[in-house]
Amino acid sequence: MLVIETTDLTKIYQNRYIALNAMNMRVEKGMVYGLVGPNGAGKSTTFRSLVGLQRPTAGSVKVFGEEMTAERSDLRRRIGFLPTNPSFPPNLTPISYLEFIGALMGLPNDRAKIRLATLLQAVDLTGSASQRIGRLSTGMVTRLGIAAALMGDPELLILDEPTSGLDPSGRKSTIELIRELSGRDRTIVISTHILGDVERVCTDVGIISQGRLIYSGPMTEMRRLARHGSITVEIEGNANAFEQQIPLLDEAGAVRYERVGTEFRMSFMGTEPLPVYIHRVLDLIDRTGVDLLHFNTGDDEIEEAFLRRLEEDRSRGFLRASAWSAAQRLGSGPEHSILGERQVSEVVVGEVVDAGVPRSS
Ligand code: ADP
């Protein structure tokens, strides 16, 4: 069952800033879905649209199979939302704040008490439950935010950058908490720009760049993509002879490299697993008679795969633009086209009118 489905979701602020560009995102029940992308990619805008705090300029958002709008507080009650850098009344204590949230949700007082006690323990805040919120650390405030998002026992939990501003141990415990919260009946969507977090907890991952989802799929598939990785060698001897033959190491056009002096950093985009490329590189070193001084395969392969996707996307931007203008010349209006293995869609920016809803966080 689809818990989240956005169709050509587009947000243009003040008719000038394109934050989301025909974004199509699908999240199935039970997934822990990581939305990853650099700052400004459109993650918070996506989340605010998902909870109906922001009206899309164009396109639609469905949550639990129904259209999400500002009026759908019934749908919102089934969602727990943690915004980025949440701030809470500094003079309240975690207990009084969660009581307040429980009352807002219409929970009977005794049920609210039981629930907040369980949650404060789950997020490891029992020891600070009666301190003023203003005195809590960033990590504690984030964990309180997660507890608040869980007060209504939501089917869908949306956490915007839950690990930002946390030290490594805070990040680790937050990720562990998210893992504990996941399960068949609960769907979790988190955004982050920290790939390690996604890798540790997410079943599925979406990469967002400049307001578009440029990759979406299972984490296992992302790992498979990462396997191709990169190989860096530093050599001594006839580096030019070595360089000339680099393009033959992979399928036509599928190898890229950078040369700095006698160091070559090669990225393989072909279909072979990394060990095959390693073998070919070593073979080329042999054949060209150069000496190998240093050999390295990408340390953080997931990160490599992610960056490569972003880079590919940038270069494909030109392709998309020309495909779109070709479609315009043929008079077929906004087009869907298949470029590479993923579907992209374009919007006619000039024709989309901003709904003018101001940023709400
Ligand atoms: P992320 O969460 O990935 O950092 P955001 O969704 O916050 O990205 O922002 C996406 C883009 O939209 C950015 O370029 C940002 O500057 C812009 N943006 C966000 N909110 C507003 C706003 N209220 N007015 C104008 N531009 C905005």
Side-chain angles (χ1 to χ4, degrees):
M1 181 198 141
L2 276 179
V3 171
I4 293 174
E5 182 178 19
T6 73
T7 308
D8 289 344
L9 177 61
T10 301
K11 179 68 191 177
I12 305 176
Y13 289 105
Q14 292 124 37
N15 224 10
R16 281 163 64 188
Y17 308 105
I18 305 174
L20 295 178
N21 180 351
M23 150 121 164
N24 295 305
M25 174 177 170
R26 280 168 186 72
V27 179
E28 302 267 355
K29 187 173 175 183
M31 281 182 175
V32 181
Y33 189 96
L35 188 62
V36 202
N39 287 334
K43 302 181 293 294
S44 298
T45 303
T46 303
F47 285 2
R48 286 196 297 268
S49 310
L50 290 178
V51 292
L53 289 177
Q54 196 158 54
R55 191 146 37 116
T57 310
S60 74
V61 178
K62 279 188 179 169
V63 181
F64 307 119
E66 297 190 42
E67 202 80 25
M68 174 55 94
T69 61
E71 291 74 39
R72 296 301 303 266
S73 45
D74 57 325
L75 290 181
R76 258 193 302 281
R77 256 196 288 279
R78 298 165 66 187
I79 306 174
F81 176 51
L82 173 76
T84 358
N85 305 321
S87 67
F88 303 110
N91 289 325
L92 292 188
T93 65
I95 293 184
S96 51
Y97 180 67
L98 292 182
E99 256 175 358
F100 166 70
I101 295 290
L104 273 186
M105 292 183 150
L107 286 182
N109 198 30
D110 53 344
R111 263 191 56 208
K113 286 264 167 50
I114 297 172
R115 185 129 191 94
L116 72 86
T118 319
L119 286 172
L120 285 174
Q121 191 183 23
V123 299
D124 202 14
L125 279 183
T126 317
S128 322
S130 52
Q131 265 187 37
R132 287 176 50 221
I133 293 175
R135 303 176 71 102
L136 300 181
S137 68
T138 313
M140 287 167 155
V141 171
T142 302
R143 295 207 299 272
L144 174 61
I146 295 179
L150 287 166
M151 270 303 277
D153 196 15
E155 294 155 64
L156 171 62
L157 190 59
I158 298 179
L159 308 174
D160 197 355
E161 299 269 3
T163 57
S164 91
L166 302 187
D167 59 21
S169 79
R171 269 176 55 203
K172 188 162 177 269
S173 60
T174 305
I175 291 294
E176 260 150 32
L177 174 63
I178 294 170
R179 189 176 294 129
E180 280 165 26
L181 293 171
S182 63
R184 264 189 310 144
D185 291 331
R186 184 176 280 130
T187 311
I188 304 181
V189 183
I190 67 169
S191 75
T192 180
H193 57 274
I194 306 168
L195 278 154
D197 293 348
V198 169
E199 221 191 324
R200 265 187 261 159
V201 73
C202 293
T203 58
D204 291 79
V205 59
I207 299 177
I208 182 170
S209 165
Q210 298 176 7
R212 287 180 318 105
L213 206 58
I214 59 169
Y215 172 85
S216 185
M219 196 61 225
T220 45
E221 174 71 6
M222 188 73 203
R223 286 205 183 92
R224 197 184 62 76
L225 286 170
R227 252 189 351 186
H228 303 315
S230 65
I231 301 174
T232 302
V233 292
E234 194 183 346
I235 54 175
E236 201 171 58
N238 192 349
N240 291 341
F242 179 86
E243 184 173 6
Q244 271 170 14
Q245 297 205 36
I246 291 177
L248 306 177
L249 292 172
D250 202 354
E251 297 152 24
V255 55
R256 290 197 199 146
Y257 71 95
E258 267 173 75
R259 175 175 177 175
V260 182
T262 56
E263 187 179 287
F264 295 87
R265 187 191 169 105
M266 295 163 278
S267 301
F268 298 95
M269 254 79 63
T271 49
E272 304 287 357
L274 188 61
V276 170
Y277 294 118
I278 293 176
H279 187 80
R280 287 184 192 167
V281 171
L282 292 175
D283 192 49
L284 180 60
I285 287 171
D286 244 17
R287 275 190 285 122
T288 47
V290 294
D291 289 325
L292 179 63
L293 299 182
H294 187 237
F295 185 96
N296 193 17
T297 57
D299 292 339
D300 194 341
E301 294 186 355
I302 291 278
E303 182 126 6
E304 282 293 324
F306 166 71
L307 292 174
R308 204 161 53 231
R309 287 263 145 181
L310 286 182
E311 200 183 298
E312 273 172 34
D313 183 61
R314 255 172 233 135
S315 56
R316 282 182 188 178
F318 294 106
L319 284 177
R320 269 195 305 275
S322 48
W324 180 78
S325 50
Q328 290 298 294
R329 277 198 300 280
L330 293 172
S332 54
E335 254 312 283
H336 291 273
S337 57
I338 303 289
L339 290 174
E341 76 277 29
R342 60 180 182 260
Q343 187 170 19
V344 293
S345 49
E346 300 295 334
V347 285
V348 193
V349 171
E351 288 177 11
V352 180
V353 182
D354 185 9
V357 179
R359 175 136 81 160
S360 40
S361 68

